[in-house]
């Protein structure tokens, strides 16, 4: 009864609302009990009650040992169990590292306050947090060095360096079009 999908399971897919379809897809992913869960905007299209149930279920999964990479453009959707964050703007990493160092008021203002194309000055380098002492103690699960993805002449990701280690749970934030989903596609 977790997502209350029993009542809609016998309905054809073409008549499901966006929220109903999302509930079915998320419930299906959670039922497989994954070791690594990668979610791109899982709360989109869900009603308030479903968002609350999903938030509780995802938190419980992380606490039970499931690792998570979570993408959103809304900082208030980051779960308390998320330990690390990447802030992406215009295809560039603005900051990455432990969530308490990255999700600061200053970092979020920098990410969201300026119009597209106005944020980065020539020669300015993105902020990067040094890995903490615990990061060196475990083997990387995902590692990217100098990754650039271009579609035509547009860099969707530019010069990305990132390592995800065991027991880390990441939130990836940025405005629409920042490169968050492209980053997930690389992980897949």
């Amino acid at each position: 009864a977790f997502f209350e999908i029993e009542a809609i399971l016998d309905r054809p897919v073409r008549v499901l609302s966006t929220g109903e379809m999302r509930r079915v897809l998320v419930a299906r992913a959670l039922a497989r009990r994954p070791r690594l869960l990668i979610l791109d905007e899982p709360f989109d299209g869900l009603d308030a009650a479903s968002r609350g149930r999903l938030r509780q279920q995802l938190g419980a999964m992380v606490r039970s040992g499931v690792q998570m990479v979570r993408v959103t453009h809304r900082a208030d959707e980051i779960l308390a169990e998320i330990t690390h964050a990447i802030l992406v703007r215009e295809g560039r990493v603005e900051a990455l590292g432990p969530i308490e160092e990255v999700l600061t008021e200053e970092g979020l203002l920098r990410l969201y306050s300026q119009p597209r194309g106005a944020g980065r000055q020539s020669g300015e380098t993105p902020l990067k947090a040094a890995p903490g002492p615990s990061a060196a103690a475990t083997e990387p699960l995902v590692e990217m060095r100098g990754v650039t993805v271009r579609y035509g002449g547009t860099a969707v990701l530019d010069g990305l360096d990132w390592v995800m280690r065991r027991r880390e749970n990441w939130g990836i934030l940025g405005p629409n079009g920042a490169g968050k989903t492209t980053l997930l596609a690389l992980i897949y």
Side-chain angles (χ1 to χ4, degrees):
F2 164 59
F3 255 178
E4 298 176 3
I5 61 172
E6 295 82 10
I8 61 175
L9 288 177
D10 61 345
R11 292 171 46 196
V13 170
R14 70 182 180 283
V15 301
L16 295 178
S17 71
T18 302
E20 289 170 333
M21 178 60 81
R22 177 74 56 142
R23 287 180 10 222
V24 169
L25 292 173
V26 171
R28 180 177 176 222
L30 297 179
R32 294 179 178 184
R33 302 195 185 279
R35 291 186 302 167
L36 173 63
L37 187 59
I38 301 172
L39 298 169
D40 191 353
E41 302 286 0
F43 296 113
D44 281 3
L46 296 180
D47 58 56
S50 295
R51 283 193 306 269
R53 286 191 298 272
L54 178 58
R55 180 179 288 277
Q56 289 175 347
Q57 181 69 19
L58 294 177
M61 290 183 78
V62 170
R63 289 187 301 276
S64 76
V66 173
Q67 289 191 253
M68 182 183 301
V69 176
R70 182 65 182 79
V71 170
T72 185
H73 65 277
R74 293 178 289 271
D76 62 336
E77 289 186 356
I78 295 294
L79 303 173
E81 293 80 6
I82 296 293
T83 61
H84 292 73
I86 300 175
L87 303 183
V88 182
R89 180 179 174 81
E90 296 179 352
R92 301 285 309 242
V93 172
E94 292 289 331
L96 70 113
I99 200 161
E100 64 276 358
E101 295 174 16
V102 174
L103 284 188
T104 62
E105 185 175 343
E106 177 185 324
L108 292 173
L109 281 172
R110 180 177 173 147
L111 187 64
Y112 291 112
S113 67
Q114 298 174 339
R116 192 164 178 82
R120 185 169 301 284
Q121 300 298 318
S122 176
E124 184 180 352
T125 58
L127 302 172
K128 294 193 178 185
S134 64
T138 61
E139 175 180 322
L141 295 175
V142 176
E143 186 168 4
M144 298 181 191
R145 298 284 179 222
V147 172
T148 298
V149 175
R150 294 185 183 279
Y151 295 114
T154 304
V156 179
L157 290 174
D158 189 17
L160 172 65
D161 293 322
W162 177 47
V163 177
M164 178 182 181
R165 300 178 189 282
R166 294 191 192 285
R167 294 181 300 281
E168 292 179 348
N169 297 289
W170 285 80
I172 304 171
L173 284 85
N176 290 337
K180 302 179 304 287
T181 300
T182 300
L183 178 56
L184 285 190
L186 291 173
I187 297 169
Y188 290 142

